[in-house]
Amino acid sequence: MRLWAPLLRRITSVEYRFYSTMAAKRIAVCQMTSVADKSKNLEVVTQLIHDAAKDNAQMIFFPEACDFICDNKKDTLASAEPILTGNTVKQYRDLAIEHNVWLSMGGVHEQDETNPNKMFNTHIIINSKGEIVQTYRKLHLFDVEIPEKNVRLKESDFCNPGRHIVTPVDSPVGKIGLAICYDMRFPELSTTLSVFNADILTYPSAFTHATGVAHWHVLLRARAIENQCYVIAAAQTGQHNSKRRSYGHALCVSPWGEVLADCGDSAPRYALAEIDTVREVRRNMPVFQHRRPDVYSLYALSLRKDRLPEHTENFAPVENRTADAAVDEPANVFGHVKVPESCVFYKSKLTYAFVNLRCVIPGHVLIAPLRLAERNKDLTDEEAEDFFRTVRLVQKLMERVHKTESCTVTIQDGPDAGQTVRHLHCHILPRRKGDFIENDHIYLELAKHDQFTPKYPGKPARSLEEMRTEATMLREEIKKMTEEER
C-alpha cells in the first residue's frame, strides 16, 4: 500500500478538476417543501426553473413528490394523475419548452389506470422541447417502521413497484441513471447503471429526517465513489404536514466523493454544480476492470431501454393492442393459439415458419413442427431432421433480408427454460452489433417479451395487416433465394 500512496495522493479532487475538460455542463439541484396543494407546489417549481435557467443551468433536478405530499392514502390516490394526460406533467413540459432546459422531475404520483387503489412513483425526464424522453418507476418501496425514531411509512399501501431497471438516458449533461430515494440503499441498482456507462446517478428524494441525519450524506457519497459517477440528489426538506418531515440537503457529489453542492435545510432553493467527464477518475482507478465476474455477477436483470407503452404518445389501451382476428382464413396449430395461414412464409412437409405477433427485435420469426409436439424430445427422427433443416434455411433467409452476419437461434425447451407456448418452437433473431447494450440481454427480453398484461406491458402486439405484409415479403425473398441457388 505504501508504494501506491504517492499515486493515490496525486489523484485528489483538485487534480480531478485539473484533468477535466473545458466542456463542463451546469446543473441545478433543487430543494422544496411540497404540500398537499398542487398549485402551490407548481408555483415553487416554476420559480425555481425560471431562476435556475437564468443562471444557465442546462438541466434542473427536482425531488421526489415535487407534485404534492398529502397526509393520507385517500387524498394521495385522488390527487395522482396519468403521465401523458395529467395537467401537472403538462405544466412541467411547457416549462421545459419556455425556459429551454431539460428537467428531471424526480418522482410524481402516477395514477394506475388499471387499479384505483394503487399508483406508481415515477421519475420523468423531459427534454428542452417538452418531450418525455424516459420514465422510471420506483423499484424499492419504503416500508419502514422505527418506533424509537417515530418513523412509519408504508409506501406499498398505496404504491406499486416498478419492474425494470432503465438503461441510462442520454442528456446534455451526460448519461443519467434513474432511481428514486430509497433505491439508494440498494447498490445492485447503482452498480448496474454504472456498468451500463452512466455518468450520473440520480436519487430525487423525500428522505425522512431521522434517517437523513444518520445516512443521507454517507450513502450518496458511497454511491458516487464506488461507481465513479456523479450523484445528484434533489431533496424535500422541512415539515410537510403534521405527520411528515424531510431532511433536505439536496446534494451533488463528484465521482471522487467530494460534495460539490449542498442545499442545507432551507427551501425553496437550488444549488449549481459543474458536471464534467468521469473518464479521468475511472482511468486512474479502473475498478470496473478489476471486477470479478467469474466470482460474482449481476445475472438476472430486468432492463428497459424504451419508454413504457403507456408513456408513449398515441398509446392504445391494452385491450385494443392485440392482433386483429383473422376472418374466414385457414390457421395452423401453435400450442393453445392459431397462426393464420397468411402469416406463414415457409412450409415444408413437417415444419412451418411464421412471423411473430410480438417481436423482441425486427426480423424475429418462429419455426414450429406442424404436429403439436411439445418438446424437442417429442419429435420423431424425421420431424427433427426436417425441423432443423428449416431452422438453417430460415436463419440464412433472415440474415439475407436484414443484411446481417449473425443470428440468435434459440429454443426454450420446457417451462423452466422460459417456454410459455406448449408447442416446440425455435426463435430466429437477426443480430447487429450494439442492438443490445450487453449481448446476452436478448435472452432476458426473450423470456418476457410475450407477457402482455396491464401490470406488465411487455411487447405490444402487431396488427394482422403488419404481420401479413412481412410474411408476403419473406415468401418472395425465400423464393428468390432458392432460385438463385439452383
Side-chain angles (χ1 to χ4, degrees), residues 123-389:
H123 187 162
I124 308 172
I125 300 296
I126 302 170
N127 69 16
S128 56
K129 298 178 182 178
E131 299 164 337
I132 295 175
V133 174
Q134 188 55 280
T135 58
Y136 161 81
R137 288 170 170 169
K138 188 176 183 180
L139 285 176
H140 304 98
L141 301 184
F142 187 67
D143 281 6
V144 174
E145 288 188 79
I146 310 174
E148 62 272 20
K149 298 286 188 180
N150 197 30
V151 173
R152 185 193 184 280
L153 182 59
K154 293 282 188 180
E155 196 171 7
S156 63
D157 285 347
F158 55 88
C159 199
N160 284 320
R163 293 177 175 267
H164 306 96
I165 296 172
V166 175
T167 56
V169 180
D170 287 318
S171 82
V173 298
K175 294 177 75 68
I176 302 175
L178 304 182
I180 300 174
C181 197
Y182 189 50
D183 287 333
M184 74 176 69
R185 293 185 182 271
F186 301 89
E188 299 89 344
L189 174 58
S190 60
T191 300
T192 300
L193 293 170
S194 61
V195 166
F196 287 117
N197 299 315
D199 303 306
I200 300 164
L201 302 174
T202 52
Y203 295 103
S205 298
F207 228 66
T208 67
H209 190 271
T211 55
V213 169
H215 300 149
W216 176 255
H217 287 80
V218 175
L219 284 170
L220 293 173
R221 293 185 68 199
R223 296 294 85 87
I225 294 165
E226 69 193 6
N227 295 293
Q228 298 178 318
C229 289
Y230 285 92
V231 164
I232 300 174
Q236 294 284 347
T237 191
Q239 200 74 39
H240 306 283
N241 51 55
S242 60
K243 299 179 180 179
R244 190 157 175 189
R245 180 186 176 196
S246 292
Y247 177 65
H249 291 273
L251 294 182
C252 179
V253 184
S254 81
W256 191 249
E258 178 186 8
V259 175
L260 303 178
D262 186 334
C263 287
D265 56 8
S266 62
R269 64 166 297 186
Y270 65 90
L272 299 169
E274 301 293 328
I275 299 298
D276 217 321
T277 180
V278 298
R279 220 173 9 241
E280 294 299 333
V281 74
R282 290 181 180 177
R283 185 187 70 183
N284 291 332
M285 190 178 292
V287 295
F288 290 93
Q289 296 175 34
H290 299 158
R291 293 189 187 277
R292 290 290 305 276
D294 57 321
V295 177
Y296 52 83
S297 178
L298 295 167
Y299 61 89
L301 305 176
S302 180
L303 294 167
R304 175 165 61 80
K305 186 176 182 181
D306 299 323
R307 280 184 293 165
L308 290 168
E310 58 265 47
H311 295 163
T312 305
E313 306 289 351
N314 303 316
F315 170 66
V318 168
E319 58 269 23
N320 295 332
R321 294 176 68 82
T322 57
D324 308 324
V327 180
D328 298 327
E329 181 181 340
N332 299 268
V333 173
F334 182 50
H336 60 283
V337 297
K338 302 287 185 182
V339 176
E341 187 66 26
S342 58
C343 295
V344 175
F345 62 88
Y346 177 79
K347 189 176 283 188
S348 66
K349 178 182 176 183
L350 300 170
T351 310
Y352 72 113
F354 53 101
V355 297
N356 205 349
L357 179 65
R358 296 186 174 96
C359 297
V360 170
I361 55 177
H364 179 186
V365 297
L366 301 173
I367 300 159
L370 288 168
R371 182 175 69 86
L372 205 171
E374 183 175 341
R375 299 283 306 281
N376 193 18
K377 66 182 182 181
D378 298 326
L379 295 178
T380 66
D381 289 346
E382 185 181 11
E383 285 175 325
E385 183 180 351
D386 190 80
F387 180 81
F388 286 101
R389 185 186 302 114

Side-chain angles (χ1 to χ4, degrees), residues 52-105:
K54 285 180 66 177
D55 270 338
N56 299 315
Q58 293 167 274
M59 188 161 185
I60 306 171
F61 293 77
F62 282 90
E64 181 182 29
C66 52
D67 51 353
F68 63 87
I69 291 180
C70 296
D71 64 359
N72 63 81
K73 174 182 175 179
K74 180 181 177 182
D75 289 347
T76 297
L77 291 173
S79 300
E81 301 176 14
I83 295 295
L84 286 182
T85 58
N87 182 62
T88 300
V89 174
K90 180 183 182 302
Q91 297 293 326
Y92 296 157
R93 297 171 73 175
D94 290 344
L95 286 166
I97 297 170
E98 178 183 352
H99 297 284
N100 192 34
V101 293
W102 280 56
L103 299 176
S104 162
M105 308 312 297

